[in-house]
Amino acid sequence: MDTVIERIGASVGKEATLSGWVYNKRSSGKVRFVILRDGTGVIQCVFLKNQVPEAAFDLADSVTQESSVEITGIVREEKRAPGGYELTATNLKLIHLAEPYPITPKEHGIEFLMEHRHLWLRSARQHAVLRIRSEIVKAMRDYLDDNDFVLADTPILTPAAGEGTTTLFPVDYYGEQVYLAQTGQLYNEAIAASVRKTYCFGPTFRAEKSKTRRHLMEFWMLEPEVAFLDLAGDMTLAEELVAYTVQRVLAKRRAELATLERDTARLETVKVPFPRISYHEAIKLLQDKGKEIKPGDDFGGDEETLLGEAFDRPVMIHHYPAAIKAFYMKRDAGDPTLALAFDMIASEGYGEIVGGSQREDDLKEMQKRIEENKLPPQAFEWYLDVRRFGSFPHSGFGLGVERTVAWICGLKHIRETIPFPRMLEKVYP
RNA sequence: UCCAGCGUAGCUCAACCGGUAGAGCAUCCGGCUGUUAACCGGAGGGUCACAGGUUCGAGUCCUGUCGCUGGAGCCA
């Protein structure tokens, strides 16, 4: 196996050759330090004038930031080193001399960093976020895979608007106008009738003119859908999935959370059960906190923050007014003005990370909703078939991956949670 | 779309009431045997976003345009 900095401890006292990029360098006359970054970690390499070839010693001074190099040396434990190890170099080989690197070890503004996002990803913070994001996705998929879910991906190009056309990106499809997917949910419902428990995981697209720290035009969503599951069971699935994911990141990505200076005490408490309050209880809670809000209103960013802050773990709000929720959600049998829907609001002001519901499974009722919402009925015939041929109660939800990453990492802005964010009118790089 | 703030060196920022354009980092040259965003000395580097106006004189004041940032709205 190749020697990498992450596992350098196994090579103490031995010679190792590391390949990577020059993260920084320092010089003190007859001793020179090259800080090497190899993608798994960072280690300082010490060059002593009388112990390395002259060419290598010269190169240790002239090599530029982010040049790619190969460094050979003896691995040593070192108390003063942040990672605990150091390399006493015996040689340095240049692979490519980098041009002057734009992102220096000093501060930079967000505009400049976003313009250089492809290079910014190499920095310690972004590296940590990439690794945590990967762990989060793996944890979620592991949880679902281990609980009998079948991954079945849904299309990106879709023939008709899911709900209204204003938020969709139109695409020319051999002369026909189609749209980038907003959700895989409707397809998931059909798949659930085949495999009982399914999920899709992929990008979704919104053409909204949203310009906030919580919105992206292109974001990834994890959407489970389960046959014969009601709203309460749906909430249980959501809280178990989220709690498992948070605990997994705490167990496996401590170092990265530390790099991000995340207060992990706020994550330790994220265990089941999560608090569940009804929409009307939430309204009352907000009114008690002095918010001017009345039953029937939807929650804005401020309200979500207040609700999230009221608990030490994510809170689930259920039984929203049907009027402010999607057409396919089942109504409450006792009060048809309410939808069997829930949102999960993350703690610490990160807002909604999960939105789910029990789906309408009655054919007549669904036909009525499609008509009321002025949706093109022919585009939904296949969807109605799910209600025509052995209709079944079923529920599911969508989990926004980037908002979840922002919350777990403690990032202020969602743009750092995905390698190349698609922001309002910004698609470079 | 609306509101607010900001556009000065490659980067991050200063420049007081309108009076000669400045620092740190980066780059180049030199010094230092343990540095941790190393440090010390030196050098080069400017269409003060763009256009117009006021003034003896504008980076600074006024108008417009463009761009960026934050927020609102919008938002399964």
Side-chain angles (χ1 to χ4, degrees):
Chain A
M1 195 189 291
D2 292 344
T3 307
V4 291
I5 295 168
E6 195 175 29
R7 292 189 290 271
I8 199 78
S11 304
V12 169
K14 292 186 222 156
E15 187 184 75
T17 296
L18 301 169
S19 53
W21 299 265
V22 174
Y23 193 64
N24 201 356
K25 62 176 184 186
R26 289 180 276 272
S27 165
S28 183
K30 296 197 175 59
V31 58
R32 287 171 181 166
F33 306 93
V34 172
I35 293 88
L36 183 76
R37 176 180 75 74
D38 80 340
T40 72
V42 170
I43 193 168
Q44 176 161 276
C45 307
V46 186
F47 293 77
L48 296 164
K49 187 175 172 65
N50 49 19
Q51 288 177 33
V52 295
E54 196 177 335
F57 192 72
D58 289 347
L59 191 55
D61 185 54
S62 62
V63 71
T64 52
Q65 187 188 353
E66 288 303 317
S67 288
S68 45
V69 294
E70 204 171 87
I71 300 180
T72 304
I74 308 297
V75 180
R76 197 161 41 72
E77 278 190 88
E78 172 59 68
K79 284 205 186 77
R80 289 170 288 186
Y85 301 98
E86 235 176 37
L87 197 73
T88 302
T90 53
N91 210 350
L92 169 62
K93 198 175 119 193
L94 182 68
I95 297 169
H96 175 251
L97 186 71
E99 294 177 26
Y101 193 65
I103 302 179
T104 65
K106 294 283 178 176
E107 292 169 16
H108 297 281
I110 190 64
E111 179 186 356
F112 180 80
L113 289 170
M114 288 307 294
E115 189 78 6
H116 296 84
R117 180 65 178 165
H118 51 296
L119 301 177
W120 188 24
L121 291 173
R122 302 182 185 193
S123 71
R125 269 181 65 84
Q126 302 308 312
H127 176 263
V129 175
L130 287 176
R131 289 203 153 203
I132 294 173
R133 178 189 171 103
S134 176
E135 188 67 44
I136 287 170
V137 170
K138 182 145 171 42
M140 288 178 170
R141 292 211 41 204
D142 282 350
Y143 177 85
L144 294 172
D145 292 347
D146 292 348
N147 282 281
D148 306 322
F149 279 78
V150 175
L151 173 69
D153 291 311
T154 52
I156 305 285
L157 294 169
T158 55
E163 18 194 293
T165 54
T166 54
T167 65
L168 295 166
F169 284 105
V171 176
D172 178 73
Y173 194 78
Y174 304 107
E176 185 187 349
Q177 180 156 294
V178 299
Y179 304 93
L180 296 180
Q182 234 185 355
T183 170
Q185 186 221 305
L186 305 191
Y187 294 100
N188 271 345
E189 292 184 47
I191 294 165
S194 169
V195 299
R196 193 175 187 105
K197 297 164 89 172
T198 185
Y199 71 102
C200 64
F201 176 58
T204 48
F205 305 88
R206 283 189 193 171
E208 281 138 19
K209 299 257 180 187
S210 293
K211 196 173 166 255
T212 82
R213 68 181 74 180
R214 291 173 183 170
H215 286 91
L216 292 171
M217 306 303 106
E218 176 183 317
F219 64 98
W220 285 65
M221 195 151 63
L222 183 81
E223 296 179 276
E225 189 74 29
V226 183
F228 306 105
L229 188 72
D230 63 8
L231 177 66
D234 202 28
M235 287 193 274
T236 300
L237 175 63
E239 68 182 356
E240 284 184 354
L241 174 70
V242 170
Y244 174 82
T245 301
V246 169
Q247 295 307 318
R248 204 24 208 269
V249 173
L250 281 171
K252 294 223 174 188
R253 293 294 163 197
R254 283 270 171 194
E256 285 78 6
L257 290 170
T259 297
L260 298 172
E261 296 176 318
R262 181 66 165 105
D263 176 9
T264 51
R266 299 297 303 268
L267 297 175
E268 304 282 359
T269 56
V270 181
K271 294 177 175 165
V272 293
F274 294 176
R276 300 179 186 195
I277 62 174
S278 72
Y279 168 86
H280 286 292
E281 286 167 338
I283 290 287
K284 188 166 183 307
L285 192 150
L286 288 168
Q287 286 170 339
D288 289 348
K289 287 182 180 292
K291 213 65 194 158
E292 283 202 19
I293 190 165
K294 57 185 191 303
D297 291 348
D298 204 356
F299 304 130
D302 277 3
E303 288 80 17
E304 284 189 357
T305 299
L306 271 173
L307 289 167
E309 279 297 88
F311 303 92
D312 71 344
R313 62 195 76 189
V315 56
M316 291 187 287
I317 298 160
H318 53 86
H319 287 86
Y320 280 82
I324 58 171
K325 286 290 176 186
F327 75 94
Y328 51 72
M329 295 179 177
K330 192 173 178 67
R331 303 292 169 90
D332 183 71
D335 181 353
T337 69
L338 298 178
L340 296 179
F342 80 99
D343 284 352
M344 185 190 292
I345 314 280
S347 36
E348 300 171 77
Y350 282 92
E352 180 189 340
I353 55 173
V354 172
S357 66
Q358 186 168 337
R359 323 304 190 185
E360 182 53 67
D361 48 24
D362 181 80
L363 177 65
K364 290 266 159 28
E365 192 65 25
M366 185 61 87
Q367 284 170 322
K368 202 172 89 189
R369 302 278 179 72
I370 287 171
E371 200 177 310
E372 282 168 2
N373 286 271
K374 300 188 171 58
L375 297 167
Q378 65 283 5
F380 287 87
E381 279 307 314
W382 69 268
Y383 186 61
L384 293 172
D385 275 356
V386 178
R387 279 82 187 160
R388 285 189 184 105
F389 303 101
S391 193
F392 52 102
H394 59 290
S395 302
F397 59 83
L399 180 147
V401 171
E402 284 74 18
R403 286 184 181 180
T404 304
V405 174
W407 164 53
I408 292 176
C409 289
L411 301 174
K412 284 195 187 69
H413 201 298
I414 200 167
R415 67 188 155 211
E416 288 182 50
T417 63
I418 185 167
F420 295 97
R422 302 289 84 141
M423 314 280 289
L424 184 59
E425 289 160 7
K426 282 187 92 72
V427 288
Y428 179 90

